[in-house]
Amino acid sequence: MGLEILRAGLQSTVQDKGRFGYAHLGISASGAADKFSLRIGNMLVGNPNQSACIEMTIIGDKYRFKSDAYIALTGSEFEAALDNKPIPFWQGWSIKKGQILDVRSTKTGARCYLCVAGGINVEGVMGAKTTHLTSGIGGCHGRILKILDELDFGTLDNSINPLQKLNESITADNKTIRVTKGIQWLWFHKKQINKFFQQQYRVTDLSNRMGLRLIGNAINTKKESEIITAGIPLGAIQIPGDGQPIISFVEHQTTGGYTIIANVISADFRKVGQLKPGDYFQFELTSFSKAEKLKVDQEKFIHSLHHD
């Protein structure tokens, strides 16, 4: 049971929820860039939520199925066809052995997910199947997927009842990314903080799963831009010497020496995962209590899907 890759996209990898507990070894959790879409994809095919999938970036892959399968495509909508007929996102779909799924370019955001009943079955490394490209571990030999790669499906857990389909596409408004105050917030004058929030930033081509480099208003600190090396959380917005912010993302370095002005709230990590080079957005400051409520609301939404 499995599939083979007839055409490889721009950067497709095997991903799950992440590899936790190894930051002290310099390995960040990684995992899907839009875990919200991965979780719903797994629900649509009846998988446990930690099951691995294929994450495609900007341009997708072409697959031949070597066995019958049950799949769902989630995340940003890409041009996608099954045997040359359009296939919808956000619902479960039966595939027959020999059928060809062609996922082409994105229509909107950066990433989409192919979830398959039984999950993508690769060898676990440090308790996870997720690909960590920076360290070359996990997934398919620690790298992006290539033409002629073959991936197997795991065994189906029949105790899980799949969600049939969603009533509508779940799209995120990526024009606003909400943040809380960062650990070095007080290192910035009010004028610099205002500059950070008052205009849009553009995502540059030098952006990847490790971090998103932005261009827009340059931000200066009251002190030197470098600090004693300290731990970096997911979503930390660092201000390097040139003043152009960097959002640390799923494969972020675990330590760093730049000041952190703000941190993306966890409910908006999925939005960051859907930003691609050339996209414009604006930061918006929110309180810690509001950030917590937004995360709880997101979890409630996911749990509500099975009860609709």
Side-chain angles (χ1 to χ4, degrees):
M1 286 174 56
L3 53 77
E4 66 175 318
I5 294 173
L6 303 179
R7 187 198 68 240
L10 189 66
Q11 187 192 70
S12 299
T13 53
V14 175
Q15 296 295 342
D16 59 16
K17 285 178 72 181
R19 179 177 289 105
F20 298 96
Y22 297 94
H24 63 294
L25 300 177
I27 299 169
S28 49
S30 189
D34 178 356
K35 292 180 178 63
F36 177 86
S37 294
L38 164 66
R39 288 171 67 186
I40 294 175
N42 276 327
M43 289 171 75
L44 286 164
V45 297
N47 284 342
N49 68 9
Q50 72 271 21
S51 298
C53 70
I54 298 174
E55 175 183 278
M56 292 170 259
T57 307
I58 300 175
I59 300 168
D61 310 318
K62 191 175 191 176
Y63 308 96
R64 178 189 287 122
F65 285 80
K66 303 189 313 184
S67 57
D68 290 356
Y70 191 68
I71 70 159
L73 290 166
T74 62
S76 286
E77 291 203 17
F78 283 45
E79 297 279 351
L82 183 65
D83 287 347
N84 296 317
K85 291 178 184 166
I87 182 171
F89 274 58
W90 302 104
Q91 71 178 69
W93 202 265
S94 291
I95 303 278
K96 296 288 182 217
K97 178 180 177 180
Q99 284 196 292
I100 291 173
L101 174 66
D102 189 2
V103 184
R104 295 182 285 268
S105 299
T106 179
K107 296 182 191 175
T108 50
R111 294 177 174 92
C112 78
Y113 295 86
L114 171 61
C115 296
V116 183
I120 300 295
N121 191 23
V122 293
E123 196 174 333
V125 178
M126 299 181 186
K129 293 181 166 60
T130 206
T131 310
H132 194 280
L133 292 171
T134 316
S135 28
I137 61 169
C140 184
H141 311 298
R143 59 165 171 76
I144 62 173
L145 299 178
K146 296 178 181 176
I147 189 167
L148 302 182
D149 277 344
E150 297 191 6
L151 295 170
D152 294 329
F153 308 147
T155 50
L156 201 55
D157 184 345
N158 289 319
S159 67
I160 298 176
N161 187 27
L163 178 68
Q164 291 309 304
K165 70 173 188 176
L166 299 189
N167 296 327
E168 56 185 320
S169 297
I170 302 177
T171 52
D173 169 23
N174 292 356
K175 298 289 182 233
T176 304
I177 303 291
R178 293 165 292 193
V179 299
T180 51
K181 293 177 181 178
I183 199 160
Q184 278 90 32
W185 175 267
L186 296 176
W187 286 36
F188 297 89
H189 285 296
K190 195 164 189 301
K191 185 179 175 187
Q192 297 298 318
I193 287 169
N194 289 342
K195 272 174 71 179
F196 181 71
F197 290 108
Q198 73 192 14
Q199 281 193 345
Q200 289 187 321
Y201 281 95
R202 179 171 60 82
V203 182
T204 74
D205 292 338
L206 297 171
S207 298
N208 52 30
R209 285 173 50 84
M210 193 171 178
L212 283 80
R213 288 182 175 270
L214 311 177
I215 192 158
N217 279 345
I219 310 300
N220 303 310
T221 63
K222 296 177 188 176
K223 312 179 186 183
E224 292 296 313
S225 60
E226 296 197 8
I227 55 169
I228 295 170
T229 296
I232 299 176
L234 176 62
I237 301 163
Q238 299 174 279
I239 304 296
D242 66 0
Q244 298 294 345
I246 302 168
I247 305 176
S248 66
F249 205 46
V250 284
E251 289 194 22
H252 64 86
Q253 293 166 284
T254 52
T255 60
Y258 295 133
T259 50
I260 295 172
I261 189 171
N263 215 98
V264 176
I265 67 169
S266 53
D268 280 4
F269 288 160
R270 61 176 288 229
K271 293 185 180 185
V272 178
Q274 294 298 354
L275 287 170
K276 60 187 185 301
D279 283 351
Y280 285 85
F281 71 93
Q282 200 155 352
F283 289 115
E284 180 183 290
L285 185 64
T286 193
S287 66
F288 288 101
S289 58
K290 178 76 186 297
E292 285 176 356
K293 183 183 183 304
L294 289 164
K295 181 60 177 172
V296 169
D297 289 348
Q298 197 175 79
E299 291 299 313
K300 281 181 181 170
F301 173 78
I302 288 174
H303 289 295
S304 76
L305 293 174
H306 262 314
H307 308 295
D308 283 353

